[in-house]
Amino acid sequence: MPTTLITDTAHYSTVLDMAMKAKKTLWIGTADIKDLYVLQGKAEKPFLGVLAELLGKGVEVRLIHAKEPGPNFRADFDRYPRLAQLLERALCPRVHFKIIVIDQVVCYVGSANLTGAGMGMKSPRRRNFEAGILTDDPALVSAASEEFDKVWRGSECEKCQRRNVCPDPIV
């Protein structure tokens, strides 16, 4: 796959479609997360349901986001008990990157949050204007993975200076 600039609905049709087909790992970093819905076959489904299915297939799913999502997300989350058991999740108020790493071989780095307006099924008139890069270039995938993992491991916590407002310190 060549490195591709993703804009408009390609966030949904390309990036999320690839994420839904992860076989081993799916790492998602986003500043904002909401009750995103996707098409799976002909049915609309919460993306959280897709994540629960991936977890059931043994896919490691890690999610870093900056703040607690709203009540609609929570309601969808609670519909899938597997998420509470298996989803690896971290809150970091400093996270602003949008990174999705699929099976450590493909990654998206861009502006779109994991929300309907950013990546989901919102109508063309209710979408954000987003752009990002989708690539399987090993150097770029490695760099995106390392940036995600640095936060995941808590390597940035000491210098963050937001511990007093961090709802769930990583370290």
Side-chain angles (χ1 to χ4, degrees):
M1 144 196 319
T3 298
T4 306
L5 177 65
I6 300 292
T7 59
D8 301 326
T9 58
H11 283 88
Y12 171 75
S13 60
T14 304
V15 178
L16 288 184
D17 187 55
M18 291 180 80
M20 291 189 283
K21 295 175 182 163
K23 301 288 184 219
K24 296 177 185 171
T25 59
L26 179 60
W27 292 1
I28 302 170
T30 184
D32 194 11
I33 186 167
K34 294 184 178 172
D35 60 329
L36 169 66
Y37 276 67
V38 295
L39 278 176
Q40 196 171 42
K42 293 188 184 238
E44 289 184 18
K45 181 175 199 163
F47 187 64
L48 289 170
V50 172
L51 296 182
E53 288 174 7
L54 290 172
L55 290 164
K57 295 175 183 176
V59 176
E60 170 195 279
V61 180
R62 290 183 175 177
L63 172 63
I64 301 174
H65 53 99
K67 61 184 179 179
E68 281 293 345
N72 292 337
F73 176 96
R74 186 83 236 168
D76 281 344
F77 188 92
D78 291 344
R79 289 174 49 194
Y80 304 98
R82 189 176 286 144
L83 295 173
Q85 299 163 357
L86 299 173
L87 178 65
E88 298 179 63
R89 188 173 145 208
L91 284 166
C92 175
R94 287 266 189 219
V95 164
H96 199 263
F97 57 56
K98 288 76 173 182
I99 296 174
I100 299 175
V101 182
I102 305 158
D103 293 329
Q104 299 299 313
V105 296
V106 175
C107 75
Y108 164 81
V109 179
S111 64
N113 282 304
L114 206 63
T115 65
M119 295 195 102
M121 294 179 56
K122 292 280 186 183
S123 73
R125 293 187 179 141
R126 297 186 66 209
R127 296 187 59 80
N128 296 337
F129 304 119
E130 307 284 3
I133 300 294
L134 182 65
T135 186
D136 64 356
D137 178 288
L140 293 174
V141 173
S142 178
S145 295
E146 178 55 27
E147 189 62 28
F148 180 99
D149 201 41
K150 202 167 50 172
V151 174
W152 186 261
R153 293 186 315 259
S155 297
E156 301 296 311
C157 290
E158 293 253 340
K159 58 186 170 187
C160 166
Q161 299 183 349
R162 302 246 5 222
R163 184 145 185 120
N164 61 328
V165 297
C166 189
D168 188 16
I170 296 168
V171 294

